Amino acid sequence: MKTRAITGFVFIIVMLVSLFSGAYVFTGFYILLSLLCLNEFFGLSKNTGVAVNRLAGFLIGAFVFGFYAYGRFQDVDAKYALLLIPLIALVFIWELYRKSDNPFSNIAYTFLGIIYTVLPFVCYYAIAFIDGSYNYHLALGFFLLLWTSDTGAYLFGVKLGRNKLFERHSPKKSWEGFIGGISTSAFTAYIVSLYFTEYSLINWLTMSLIISCLGTLADLVESMFKRSINVKDSGSLLPGHGGVLDRFDGLLISAPIVFVYLYLITY
């Protein structure tokens, strides 16, 4: 428990520093974080007998995130996005030279990893630039809503949990915890709306509902993946917590939907 607490505290400090240190540090940190999550997904894939193309996957993931990030700082001609095409083709061509009985799965899991890990982080990154320039308020607000939802779900679940939410994939999750997480996140949304006034209370409450509901489902999806291969943690990078993917699983489905919501109400 002590190791878990120390790791959690240090990681929160690192997260906050990345948010408060400006756009460039924020960019570098989340490109790195997305690739670490991709690496852990590829590691999980290996347990299924699939041999993903790690190098090509990292190149495509880094290009997608890097190209979008560069566009936030400099005007970039959209035609350069076409460079992604040869990188994608590389995955298929490379498979010709690999001795594998599962070329379909190797190619499919390589792209699935990018879709499942890197693209959600791009969406989260885009939230911080939703009004055209870097603003840490929305990025910080997102994580405050996600963290308090997770914490509330855990505390309410431990104290009041009786009815299982989705026992097949996560026996410890309960409906009481789920409702507690929504309530805790909604209260946080109210507090956040008092300080980060770019968006109204209704908008923050809507975001909290999206994050609580879809964050829980995203957690269940990762649990489904891990249970299917009898793995407890996605990695061991964070002592006491497992892998990076374990800590950010709630973001993977909720961030893209929050980004779409903010985009629709902003433009």
Tab-separated table of all heavy atoms in Angstrom, residues 6-64:
chain	number	residue	atom	x	y	z
A	6	ILE	N	3.025	6.087	-2.745
A	6	ILE	CA	4.167	6.904	-3.174
A	6	ILE	C	4.180	7.037	-4.691
A	6	ILE	O	4.371	8.136	-5.226
A	6	ILE	CB	5.488	6.276	-2.682
A	6	ILE	CG1	5.576	6.348	-1.160
A	6	ILE	CG2	6.680	6.984	-3.313
A	6	ILE	CD1	6.769	5.623	-0.573
A	7	THR	N	3.976	5.929	-5.377
A	7	THR	CA	3.951	5.959	-6.845
A	7	THR	C	2.844	6.875	-7.346
A	7	THR	O	3.049	7.683	-8.259
A	7	THR	CB	3.732	4.545	-7.415
A	7	THR	OG1	4.780	3.684	-6.967
A	7	THR	CG2	3.724	4.579	-8.937
A	8	GLY	N	1.655	6.742	-6.750
A	8	GLY	CA	0.523	7.582	-7.156
A	8	GLY	C	0.803	9.049	-6.935
A	8	GLY	O	0.504	9.887	-7.790
A	9	PHE	N	1.402	9.392	-5.795
A	9	PHE	CA	1.705	10.790	-5.481
A	9	PHE	C	2.717	11.366	-6.471
A	9	PHE	O	2.527	12.467	-7.003
A	9	PHE	CB	2.247	10.894	-4.054
A	9	PHE	CG	2.662	12.285	-3.664
A	9	PHE	CD1	1.708	13.243	-3.346
A	9	PHE	CD2	4.008	12.638	-3.623
A	9	PHE	CE1	2.086	14.532	-2.997
A	9	PHE	CE2	4.393	13.922	-3.276
A	9	PHE	CZ	3.424	14.878	-2.963
A	10	VAL	N	3.785	10.606	-6.726
A	10	VAL	CA	4.819	11.079	-7.652
A	10	VAL	C	4.239	11.259	-9.048
A	10	VAL	O	4.519	12.256	-9.735
A	10	VAL	CB	6.006	10.092	-7.690
A	10	VAL	CG1	6.980	10.460	-8.810
A	10	VAL	CG2	6.727	10.081	-6.352
A	11	PHE	N	3.422	10.314	-9.466
A	11	PHE	CA	2.865	10.386	-10.817
A	11	PHE	C	1.915	11.574	-10.964
A	11	PHE	O	1.894	12.233	-12.007
A	11	PHE	CB	2.140	9.084	-11.162
A	11	PHE	CG	1.855	8.935	-12.631
A	11	PHE	CD1	2.891	8.767	-13.534
A	11	PHE	CD2	0.561	8.985	-13.111
A	11	PHE	CE1	2.637	8.639	-14.899
A	11	PHE	CE2	0.299	8.857	-14.466
A	11	PHE	CZ	1.341	8.679	-15.359
A	12	ILE	N	1.132	11.860	-9.930
A	12	ILE	CA	0.236	13.016	-9.968
A	12	ILE	C	1.045	14.305	-10.087
A	12	ILE	O	0.688	15.212	-10.846
A	12	ILE	CB	-0.662	13.049	-8.715
A	12	ILE	CG1	-1.723	11.949	-8.809
A	12	ILE	CG2	-1.346	14.412	-8.576
A	12	ILE	CD1	-2.559	11.807	-7.563
A	13	ILE	N	2.155	14.382	-9.356
A	13	ILE	CA	3.020	15.560	-9.433
A	13	ILE	C	3.555	15.731	-10.847
A	13	ILE	O	3.559	16.831	-11.412
A	13	ILE	CB	4.194	15.450	-8.432
A	13	ILE	CG1	3.681	15.463	-7.000
A	13	ILE	CG2	5.191	16.593	-8.662
A	13	ILE	CD1	2.937	16.726	-6.613
A	14	VAL	N	4.000	14.616	-11.450
A	14	VAL	CA	4.520	14.671	-12.820
A	14	VAL	C	3.427	15.129	-13.782
A	14	VAL	O	3.671	15.950	-14.683
A	14	VAL	CB	5.060	13.289	-13.248
A	14	VAL	CG1	5.414	13.271	-14.733
A	14	VAL	CG2	6.278	12.914	-12.419
A	15	MET	N	2.217	14.617	-13.600
A	15	MET	CA	1.093	15.008	-14.451
A	15	MET	C	0.826	16.505	-14.329
A	15	MET	O	0.618	17.199	-15.338
A	15	MET	CB	-0.153	14.222	-14.044
A	15	MET	CG	-0.093	12.745	-14.335
A	15	MET	SD	-0.567	12.379	-16.018
A	15	MET	CE	-2.281	12.859	-15.978
A	16	LEU	N	0.798	17.004	-13.111
A	16	LEU	CA	0.514	18.423	-12.893
A	16	LEU	C	1.615	19.301	-13.475
A	16	LEU	O	1.332	20.347	-14.070
A	16	LEU	CB	0.345	18.697	-11.397
A	16	LEU	CG	-0.891	18.071	-10.731
A	16	LEU	CD1	-0.886	18.338	-9.232
A	16	LEU	CD2	-2.170	18.611	-11.368
A	17	VAL	N	2.855	18.869	-13.309
A	17	VAL	CA	3.979	19.633	-13.873
A	17	VAL	C	3.847	19.708	-15.393
A	17	VAL	O	4.076	20.758	-16.002
A	17	VAL	CB	5.327	18.992	-13.473
A	17	VAL	CG1	6.470	19.613	-14.283
A	17	VAL	CG2	5.578	19.183	-11.993
A	18	SER	N	3.449	18.603	-16.012
A	18	SER	CA	3.296	18.589	-17.475
A	18	SER	C	2.200	19.555	-17.928
A	18	SER	O	2.296	20.150	-19.007
A	18	SER	CB	2.974	17.177	-17.967
A	18	SER	OG	1.637	16.801	-17.661
A	19	LEU	N	1.181	19.719	-17.109
A	19	LEU	CA	0.083	20.622	-17.457
A	19	LEU	C	0.476	22.085	-17.257
A	19	LEU	O	0.145	22.948	-18.083
A	19	LEU	CB	-1.151	20.305	-16.604
A	19	LEU	CG	-1.921	19.033	-16.961
A	19	LEU	CD1	-2.882	18.669	-15.841
A	19	LEU	CD2	-2.682	19.213	-18.258
A	20	PHE	N	1.182	22.366	-16.168
A	20	PHE	CA	1.494	23.754	-15.817
A	20	PHE	C	2.755	24.289	-16.494
A	20	PHE	O	3.024	25.483	-16.429
A	20	PHE	CB	1.654	23.885	-14.300
A	20	PHE	CG	0.406	23.578	-13.525
A	20	PHE	CD1	0.467	22.956	-12.291
A	20	PHE	CD2	-0.849	23.917	-14.029
A	20	PHE	CE1	-0.687	22.663	-11.578
A	20	PHE	CE2	-2.008	23.639	-13.327
A	20	PHE	CZ	-1.929	23.011	-12.094
A	21	SER	N	3.525	23.411	-17.131
A	21	SER	CA	4.810	23.832	-17.701
A	21	SER	C	4.692	24.363	-19.125
A	21	SER	O	5.706	24.689	-19.744
A	21	SER	CB	5.808	22.668	-17.675
A	21	SER	OG	6.095	22.296	-16.347
A	22	GLY	N	3.497	24.422	-19.648
A	22	GLY	CA	3.323	24.996	-20.974
A	22	GLY	C	3.083	23.962	-22.056
A	22	GLY	O	3.176	22.746	-21.835
A	23	ALA	N	2.796	24.467	-23.252
A	23	ALA	CA	2.344	23.625	-24.357
A	23	ALA	C	3.398	22.627	-24.812
A	23	ALA	O	3.073	21.489	-25.161
A	23	ALA	CB	1.924	24.509	-25.532
A	24	TYR	N	4.679	23.012	-24.815
A	24	TYR	CA	5.706	22.130	-25.355
A	24	TYR	C	5.960	20.930	-24.438
A	24	TYR	O	6.096	19.789	-24.904
A	24	TYR	CB	7.000	22.900	-25.603
A	24	TYR	CG	6.894	23.885	-26.740
A	24	TYR	CD1	6.778	25.248	-26.500
A	24	TYR	CD2	6.882	23.448	-28.068
A	24	TYR	CE1	6.655	26.157	-27.555
A	24	TYR	CE2	6.766	24.341	-29.122
A	24	TYR	CZ	6.647	25.699	-28.855
A	24	TYR	OH	6.521	26.586	-29.894
A	25	VAL	N	6.033	21.188	-23.138
A	25	VAL	CA	6.205	20.087	-22.189
A	25	VAL	C	4.982	19.181	-22.213
A	25	VAL	O	5.099	17.954	-22.195
A	25	VAL	CB	6.441	20.629	-20.763
A	25	VAL	CG1	6.465	19.484	-19.746
A	25	VAL	CG2	7.749	21.408	-20.699
A	26	PHE	N	3.803	19.793	-22.253
A	26	PHE	CA	2.549	19.043	-22.329
A	26	PHE	C	2.550	18.129	-23.560
A	26	PHE	O	2.181	16.950	-23.477
A	26	PHE	CB	1.379	20.031	-22.398
A	26	PHE	CG	0.024	19.389	-22.508
A	26	PHE	CD1	-0.580	18.800	-21.408
A	26	PHE	CD2	-0.663	19.409	-23.707
A	26	PHE	CE1	-1.840	18.214	-21.508
A	26	PHE	CE2	-1.924	18.833	-23.824
A	26	PHE	CZ	-2.509	18.231	-22.716
A	27	THR	N	2.988	18.664	-24.678
A	27	THR	CA	3.030	17.892	-25.921
A	27	THR	C	3.978	16.708	-25.811
A	27	THR	O	3.615	15.561	-26.111
A	27	THR	CB	3.475	18.787	-27.090
A	27	THR	OG1	2.533	19.862	-27.255
A	27	THR	CG2	3.566	17.989	-28.389
A	28	GLY	N	5.207	16.961	-25.376
A	28	GLY	CA	6.189	15.890	-25.269
A	28	GLY	C	5.759	14.803	-24.305
A	28	GLY	O	5.936	13.601	-24.579
A	29	PHE	N	5.192	15.213	-23.187
A	29	PHE	CA	4.790	14.252	-22.171
A	29	PHE	C	3.709	13.313	-22.691
A	29	PHE	O	3.776	12.096	-22.482
A	29	PHE	CB	4.294	14.983	-20.924
A	29	PHE	CG	3.864	14.072	-19.807
A	29	PHE	CD1	4.804	13.392	-19.048
A	29	PHE	CD2	2.526	13.889	-19.514
A	29	PHE	CE1	4.418	12.538	-18.017
A	29	PHE	CE2	2.126	13.045	-18.493
A	29	PHE	CZ	3.083	12.369	-17.735
A	30	TYR	N	2.729	13.851	-23.394
A	30	TYR	CA	1.615	13.006	-23.824
A	30	TYR	C	1.931	12.197	-25.091
A	30	TYR	O	1.320	11.148	-25.303
A	30	TYR	CB	0.331	13.824	-23.965
A	30	TYR	CG	-0.283	14.015	-22.602
A	30	TYR	CD1	-0.024	15.160	-21.864
A	30	TYR	CD2	-1.036	13.012	-22.028
A	30	TYR	CE1	-0.532	15.301	-20.583
A	30	TYR	CE2	-1.554	13.146	-20.756
A	30	TYR	CZ	-1.296	14.289	-20.035
A	30	TYR	OH	-1.783	14.420	-18.762
A	31	ILE	N	2.856	12.662	-25.888
A	31	ILE	CA	3.336	11.793	-26.965
A	31	ILE	C	4.029	10.576	-26.357
A	31	ILE	O	3.780	9.434	-26.752
A	31	ILE	CB	4.299	12.544	-27.902
A	31	ILE	CG1	3.526	13.577	-28.738
A	31	ILE	CG2	5.024	11.573	-28.832
A	31	ILE	CD1	4.406	14.412	-29.650
A	32	LEU	N	4.885	10.822	-25.369
A	32	LEU	CA	5.584	9.731	-24.694
A	32	LEU	C	4.592	8.797	-24.011
A	32	LEU	O	4.690	7.565	-24.121
A	32	LEU	CB	6.563	10.296	-23.664
A	32	LEU	CG	7.282	9.272	-22.770
A	32	LEU	CD1	8.126	8.323	-23.614
A	32	LEU	CD2	8.137	9.988	-21.733
A	33	LEU	N	3.615	9.359	-23.314
A	33	LEU	CA	2.641	8.553	-22.581
A	33	LEU	C	1.818	7.683	-23.524
A	33	LEU	O	1.551	6.510	-23.237
A	33	LEU	CB	1.720	9.480	-21.783
A	33	LEU	CG	1.025	8.896	-20.550
A	33	LEU	CD1	2.044	8.318	-19.562
A	33	LEU	CD2	0.189	9.972	-19.878
A	34	SER	N	1.430	8.246	-24.650
A	34	SER	CA	0.634	7.469	-25.606
A	34	SER	C	1.436	6.304	-26.163
A	34	SER	O	0.907	5.197	-26.346
A	34	SER	CB	0.133	8.370	-26.746
A	34	SER	OG	1.203	8.815	-27.567
A	35	LEU	N	2.730	6.516	-26.420
A	35	LEU	CA	3.569	5.436	-26.953
A	35	LEU	C	3.853	4.373	-25.890
A	35	LEU	O	3.984	3.185	-26.207
A	35	LEU	CB	4.869	6.001	-27.507
A	35	LEU	CG	4.716	6.912	-28.732
A	35	LEU	CD1	6.075	7.433	-29.191
A	35	LEU	CD2	4.020	6.181	-29.878
A	36	LEU	N	3.938	4.780	-24.633
A	36	LEU	CA	4.090	3.804	-23.555
A	36	LEU	C	2.847	2.917	-23.452
A	36	LEU	O	2.945	1.698	-23.253
A	36	LEU	CB	4.332	4.517	-22.220
A	36	LEU	CG	5.714	5.157	-22.028
A	36	LEU	CD1	5.752	5.955	-20.732
A	36	LEU	CD2	6.810	4.098	-22.018
A	37	CYS	N	1.675	3.530	-23.586
A	37	CYS	CA	0.432	2.758	-23.569
A	37	CYS	C	0.363	1.820	-24.771
A	37	CYS	O	-0.086	0.674	-24.655
A	37	CYS	CB	-0.774	3.694	-23.568
A	37	CYS	SG	-1.072	4.529	-21.994
A	38	LEU	N	0.808	2.305	-25.927
A	38	LEU	CA	0.833	1.469	-27.129
A	38	LEU	C	1.767	0.280	-26.918
A	38	LEU	O	1.439	-0.859	-27.299
A	38	LEU	CB	1.290	2.300	-28.328
A	38	LEU	CG	1.394	1.563	-29.673
A	38	LEU	CD1	0.042	1.008	-30.096
A	38	LEU	CD2	1.951	2.504	-30.754
A	39	ASN	N	2.901	0.529	-26.308
A	39	ASN	CA	3.853	-0.545	-26.048
A	39	ASN	C	3.238	-1.611	-25.138
A	39	ASN	O	3.425	-2.818	-25.352
A	39	ASN	CB	5.121	0.024	-25.407
A	39	ASN	CG	6.176	-1.036	-25.170
A	39	ASN	OD1	6.645	-1.701	-26.086
A	39	ASN	ND2	6.552	-1.215	-23.913
A	40	GLU	N	2.494	-1.175	-24.125
A	40	GLU	CA	1.861	-2.135	-23.220
A	40	GLU	C	0.758	-2.912	-23.927
A	40	GLU	O	0.571	-4.113	-23.675
A	40	GLU	CB	1.306	-1.415	-21.990
A	40	GLU	CG	2.396	-0.911	-21.067
A	40	GLU	CD	1.885	-0.328	-19.769
A	40	GLU	OE1	0.650	-0.218	-19.612
A	40	GLU	OE2	2.704	0.014	-18.899
A	41	PHE	N	0.022	-2.250	-24.805
A	41	PHE	CA	-1.005	-2.967	-25.575
A	41	PHE	C	-0.351	-4.025	-26.454
A	41	PHE	O	-0.845	-5.157	-26.551
A	41	PHE	CB	-1.803	-2.001	-26.441
A	41	PHE	CG	-2.858	-2.678	-27.270
A	41	PHE	CD1	-4.117	-2.934	-26.758
A	41	PHE	CD2	-2.582	-3.089	-28.573
A	41	PHE	CE1	-5.084	-3.583	-27.514
A	41	PHE	CE2	-3.532	-3.742	-29.339
A	41	PHE	CZ	-4.793	-3.989	-28.804
A	42	PHE	N	0.753	-3.679	-27.090
A	42	PHE	CA	1.466	-4.654	-27.916
A	42	PHE	C	1.973	-5.813	-27.062
A	42	PHE	O	2.014	-6.962	-27.513
A	42	PHE	CB	2.633	-3.985	-28.638
A	42	PHE	CG	2.227	-3.124	-29.804
A	42	PHE	CD1	3.099	-2.187	-30.334
A	42	PHE	CD2	0.973	-3.245	-30.378
A	42	PHE	CE1	2.742	-1.400	-31.430
A	42	PHE	CE2	0.593	-2.467	-31.465
A	42	PHE	CZ	1.480	-1.539	-31.993
A	43	GLY	N	2.371	-5.506	-25.810
A	43	GLY	CA	2.802	-6.559	-24.909
A	43	GLY	C	1.667	-7.506	-24.566
A	43	GLY	O	1.860	-8.734	-24.503
A	44	LEU	N	0.474	-6.962	-24.333
A	44	LEU	CA	-0.703	-7.804	-24.073
A	44	LEU	C	-1.030	-8.650	-25.295
A	44	LEU	O	-1.405	-9.828	-25.173
A	44	LEU	CB	-1.911	-6.930	-23.714
A	44	LEU	CG	-1.844	-6.166	-22.388
A	44	LEU	CD1	-3.071	-5.271	-22.238
A	44	LEU	CD2	-1.753	-7.122	-21.205
A	45	SER	N	-0.886	-8.062	-26.473
A	45	SER	CA	-1.178	-8.784	-27.713
A	45	SER	C	-0.273	-9.998	-27.871
A	45	SER	O	-0.690	-11.036	-28.391
A	45	SER	CB	-1.011	-7.858	-28.923
A	45	SER	OG	-1.882	-6.749	-28.841
A	46	LYS	N	0.949	-9.868	-27.406
A	46	LYS	CA	1.903	-10.974	-27.522
A	46	LYS	C	1.401	-12.205	-26.789
A	46	LYS	O	1.659	-13.340	-27.195
A	46	LYS	CB	3.264	-10.540	-26.973
A	46	LYS	CG	4.369	-11.561	-27.172
A	46	LYS	CD	5.697	-11.026	-26.654
A	46	LYS	CE	6.807	-12.057	-26.853
A	46	LYS	NZ	8.119	-11.541	-26.355
A	47	ASN	N	0.657	-11.977	-25.692
A	47	ASN	CA	0.132	-13.106	-24.914
A	47	ASN	C	-0.964	-13.860	-25.648
A	47	ASN	O	-1.361	-14.949	-25.226
A	47	ASN	CB	-0.421	-12.607	-23.578
A	47	ASN	CG	0.678	-12.152	-22.630
A	47	ASN	OD1	1.827	-12.576	-22.747
A	47	ASN	ND2	0.338	-11.290	-21.708
A	48	THR	N	-1.485	-13.300	-26.725
A	48	THR	CA	-2.497	-13.993	-27.520
A	48	THR	C	-1.869	-14.786	-28.658
A	48	THR	O	-2.575	-15.422	-29.442
A	48	THR	CB	-3.498	-12.991	-28.126
A	48	THR	OG1	-2.843	-12.203	-29.132
A	48	THR	CG2	-4.076	-12.069	-27.064
A	49	GLY	N	-0.539	-14.717	-28.763
A	49	GLY	CA	0.149	-15.414	-29.842
A	49	GLY	C	0.320	-14.574	-31.085
A	49	GLY	O	0.779	-15.059	-32.119
A	50	VAL	N	-0.024	-13.277	-30.985
A	50	VAL	CA	0.082	-12.369	-32.121
A	50	VAL	C	1.432	-11.663	-32.077
A	50	VAL	O	1.880	-11.222	-31.022
A	50	VAL	CB	-1.057	-11.330	-32.098
A	50	VAL	CG1	-0.850	-10.274	-33.177
A	50	VAL	CG2	-2.399	-12.018	-32.281
A	51	ALA	N	2.061	-11.547	-33.242
A	51	ALA	CA	3.349	-10.850	-33.346
A	51	ALA	C	3.131	-9.522	-34.080
A	51	ALA	O	3.249	-9.446	-35.307
A	51	ALA	CB	4.363	-11.710	-34.091
A	52	VAL	N	2.769	-8.499	-33.322
A	52	VAL	CA	2.510	-7.198	-33.940
A	52	VAL	C	3.803	-6.616	-34.488
A	52	VAL	O	4.904	-7.000	-34.088
A	52	VAL	CB	1.897	-6.206	-32.915
A	52	VAL	CG1	0.547	-6.685	-32.435
A	52	VAL	CG2	2.851	-5.985	-31.744
A	53	ASN	N	3.660	-5.658	-35.385
A	53	ASN	CA	4.812	-4.956	-35.939
A	53	ASN	C	5.060	-3.716	-35.072
A	53	ASN	O	4.507	-2.644	-35.333
A	53	ASN	CB	4.543	-4.565	-37.395
A	53	ASN	CG	5.799	-4.125	-38.111
A	53	ASN	OD1	6.650	-3.468	-37.528
A	53	ASN	ND2	5.916	-4.482	-39.378
A	54	ARG	N	5.850	-3.884	-34.036
A	54	ARG	CA	6.051	-2.808	-33.060
A	54	ARG	C	6.652	-1.551	-33.693
A	54	ARG	O	6.179	-0.441	-33.448
A	54	ARG	CB	6.963	-3.274	-31.919
A	54	ARG	CG	6.291	-4.192	-30.913
A	54	ARG	CD	7.287	-4.623	-29.848
A	54	ARG	NE	6.676	-5.505	-28.868
A	54	ARG	CZ	6.189	-5.103	-27.695
A	54	ARG	NH1	6.239	-3.828	-27.360
A	54	ARG	NH2	5.659	-5.971	-26.852
A	55	LEU	N	7.710	-1.731	-34.485
A	55	LEU	CA	8.391	-0.567	-35.053
A	55	LEU	C	7.456	0.245	-35.925
A	55	LEU	O	7.361	1.470	-35.779
A	55	LEU	CB	9.618	-1.013	-35.851
A	55	LEU	CG	10.413	0.115	-36.522
A	55	LEU	CD1	10.881	1.132	-35.486
A	55	LEU	CD2	11.597	-0.444	-37.301
A	56	ALA	N	6.754	-0.425	-36.832
A	56	ALA	CA	5.822	0.290	-37.702
A	56	ALA	C	4.711	0.932	-36.881
A	56	ALA	O	4.284	2.053	-37.161
A	56	ALA	CB	5.236	-0.663	-38.739
A	57	GLY	N	4.247	0.224	-35.858
A	57	GLY	CA	3.192	0.774	-35.005
A	57	GLY	C	3.651	2.040	-34.296
A	57	GLY	O	2.913	3.030	-34.233
A	58	PHE	N	4.875	2.019	-33.755
A	58	PHE	CA	5.406	3.203	-33.083
A	58	PHE	C	5.595	4.365	-34.063
A	58	PHE	O	5.318	5.528	-33.729
A	58	PHE	CB	6.733	2.882	-32.400
A	58	PHE	CG	6.599	1.983	-31.203
A	58	PHE	CD1	7.537	1.012	-30.943
A	58	PHE	CD2	5.524	2.113	-30.341
A	58	PHE	CE1	7.422	0.174	-29.849
A	58	PHE	CE2	5.384	1.286	-29.235
A	58	PHE	CZ	6.344	0.311	-28.991
A	59	LEU	N	6.080	4.051	-35.267
A	59	LEU	CA	6.281	5.104	-36.265
A	59	LEU	C	4.964	5.762	-36.655
A	59	LEU	O	4.865	6.994	-36.741
A	59	LEU	CB	6.961	4.524	-37.508
A	59	LEU	CG	8.439	4.140	-37.362
A	59	LEU	CD1	8.935	3.447	-38.627
A	59	LEU	CD2	9.286	5.369	-37.050
A	60	ILE	N	3.935	4.942	-36.869
A	60	ILE	CA	2.624	5.490	-37.244
A	60	ILE	C	2.034	6.277	-36.087
A	60	ILE	O	1.527	7.392	-36.267
A	60	ILE	CB	1.673	4.353	-37.668
A	60	ILE	CG1	2.163	3.703	-38.962
A	60	ILE	CG2	0.256	4.892	-37.868
A	60	ILE	CD1	1.391	2.455	-39.347
A	61	GLY	N	2.109	5.713	-34.862
A	61	GLY	CA	1.563	6.404	-33.697
A	61	GLY	C	2.244	7.742	-33.457
A	61	GLY	O	1.588	8.759	-33.216
A	62	ALA	N	3.578	7.745	-33.525
A	62	ALA	CA	4.332	8.983	-33.314
A	62	ALA	C	4.032	9.998	-34.413
A	62	ALA	O	3.928	11.210	-34.149
A	62	ALA	CB	5.828	8.680	-33.263
A	63	PHE	N	3.882	9.524	-35.655
A	63	PHE	CA	3.599	10.439	-36.767
A	63	PHE	C	2.225	11.075	-36.593
A	63	PHE	O	2.073	12.294	-36.756
A	63	PHE	CB	3.664	9.706	-38.096
A	63	PHE	CG	3.343	10.586	-39.280
A	63	PHE	CD1	4.331	11.358	-39.871
A	63	PHE	CD2	2.051	10.661	-39.786
A	63	PHE	CE1	4.043	12.189	-40.946
A	63	PHE	CE2	1.747	11.478	-40.857
A	63	PHE	CZ	2.737	12.251	-41.438
A	64	VAL	N	1.221	10.266	-36.280
A	64	VAL	CA	-0.141	10.783	-36.127
A	64	VAL	C	-0.191	11.836	-35.027
A	64	VAL	O	-0.714	12.944	-35.229
A	64	VAL	CB	-1.127	9.637	-35.825
A	64	VAL	CG1	-2.491	10.192	-35.404
A	64	VAL	CG2	-1.286	8.735	-37.037
